[in-house]
Amino acid sequence: MKIDGNPISGAQLISADRLSKDFGTTRVLNEINVGVKEGEVVCVIGPSGSGKTTLLRCFALLEQPSDGAVLMENKVIGDASGSKAVRQAAKEVRSDIGMVFQHFNLWPHMTVLENIIEAPMRVRGVSRAVAVAEATTLLEKVGLSDKHDAYPVRLSGGQQQRVAIARALAMQPKVMLFDEATSALDPELKREVLIVMKALAAEGMTMLVVTHEMGFARNVGSRIVFMDQGEIVEEGAPAAFFDKPQTDRAKRFLRQFED
């Protein structure tokens, strides 16, 4: 786990190799090379439209690369070919990749408990009793032990996002992807979600986090990846990036967060 801002040694758990993504004639990602090692919390920051969410969606296998590849433990799980072998590799690891979206995407017709146990029962094949026991533990972890039977409409935004985190964790992923998990929340509710994310980081969860929360990135991140116009402009330990950014573009970006 990161404590002092130095990257953790070891092989990359999930990575992008010269990853590019086009939407029509627009190149959204341009030959991205980045990876996350086991136990790291990599925070991806940058202006809106820089390609951060598209990068995360490629890692989550929700977008197919136009060129390059996404790898999990050095095995290609996404590329432009869409070959049978790559599709099979993706299928094998899909449940190892958890994702929490900006908007909570809970099933409105299901209770909190039902939202959490559905995928473990259907995908992992666990019994209802085991799924309920695991969900109960996860709800305690995210501070929602008393919300088993509540429907999403009865929850605050922060509570819904914490349920979404618990739902992703129920699949026992190897890596968690967070796409602006707090951006739709007001300050008090943001704090609720950030506390949960910090606790996951402290437990050693491997995380790739797209965020505008500079305090979280500085204090919790193992490494900062700064993107602009579909490319990685700068990358480094949090203290180095925030205190002494190397590029003019990063310096301009950080000025907007100064008091």
Side-chain angles (χ1 to χ4, degrees):
M1 222 1 264
K2 172 263 184 188
I3 297 297
D4 58 5
N6 294 319
I8 296 169
S9 61
Q12 291 178 340
L13 178 60
I14 193 167
S15 60
D17 179 21
R18 294 174 295 174
L19 177 66
S20 296
K21 178 62 181 179
D22 302 326
F23 290 109
T25 59
T26 302
R27 172 144 290 198
V28 179
L29 296 176
N30 186 38
E31 296 192 353
I32 297 289
N33 291 295
V34 68
V36 187
K37 297 174 183 177
E38 185 175 356
E40 270 195 309
V41 179
V42 176
C43 293
V44 183
I45 65 174
S48 297
S50 58
K52 306 183 300 295
T53 291
T54 301
L55 175 62
L56 219 62
R57 288 179 63 83
C58 287
F59 273 124
L61 306 175
L62 299 175
E63 299 285 356
Q64 183 177 0
S66 301
D67 202 359
V70 175
L71 300 92
M72 186 88 171
E73 297 177 322
N74 294 318
K75 187 173 185 178
V76 175
I77 59 172
D79 66 5
S81 75
S83 68
K84 183 176 180 180
V86 171
R87 293 198 308 272
Q88 180 60 34
K91 182 178 180 181
E92 291 171 0
V93 303
R94 195 175 298 276
S95 63
D96 292 333
I97 305 170
M99 185 160 180
V100 177
F101 299 86
Q102 177 179 345
H103 299 289
F104 324 120
N105 293 344
L106 299 178
W107 293 303
H109 62 290
M110 292 184 175
T111 65
V112 164
L113 183 66
E114 290 167 341
N115 263 278
I116 296 172
I117 68 174
E118 179 74 6
M121 290 171 58
R122 287 184 177 272
V123 180
R124 287 175 49 213
V126 303
S127 68
R128 181 180 177 85
V130 169
V132 169
E134 292 175 349
T136 299
T137 299
L138 288 170
L139 284 171
E140 183 176 357
K141 181 191 289 285
V142 300
L144 293 172
S145 297
D146 60 338
K147 300 297 183 183
H148 288 71
D149 299 323
Y151 285 88
V153 71
R154 298 296 183 184
L155 304 179
S156 70
Q159 290 171 332
Q160 289 188 59
Q161 192 63 291
R162 284 184 280 157
V163 173
I165 292 171
R167 184 174 66 175
L169 291 172
M171 292 301 292
Q172 301 182 357
K174 293 181 179 180
V175 58
M176 284 283 286
L177 312 177
F178 291 86
D179 183 21
E180 301 284 10
T182 62
S183 64
L185 305 175
D186 66 33
E188 185 175 354
L189 299 182
K190 282 183 182 182
R191 182 175 176 275
E192 297 175 357
V193 176
L194 290 172
I195 287 171
V196 172
M197 292 173 66
K198 288 175 183 177
L200 289 176
E203 292 171 3
M205 172 61 72
T206 306
M207 297 162 65
L208 182 62
V209 183
V210 170
T211 185
H212 285 302
E213 299 292 334
M214 295 301 110
F216 178 91
R218 177 191 278 271
N219 296 320
V220 182
S222 309
R223 185 156 40 95
I224 305 298
V225 173
F226 174 63
M227 292 183 64
D228 190 29
Q229 297 184 345
E231 297 183 344
I232 294 176
V233 177
E234 191 168 336
E235 183 176 356
F241 177 81
F242 285 105
D243 295 337
K244 294 183 179 179
Q246 299 300 302
T247 62
D248 289 339
R249 183 65 188 92
K251 292 174 183 176
R252 292 197 306 274
F253 176 78
L254 290 174
R255 281 193 201 111
Q256 67 184 304
F257 300 99
E258 295 176 354
D259 294 332

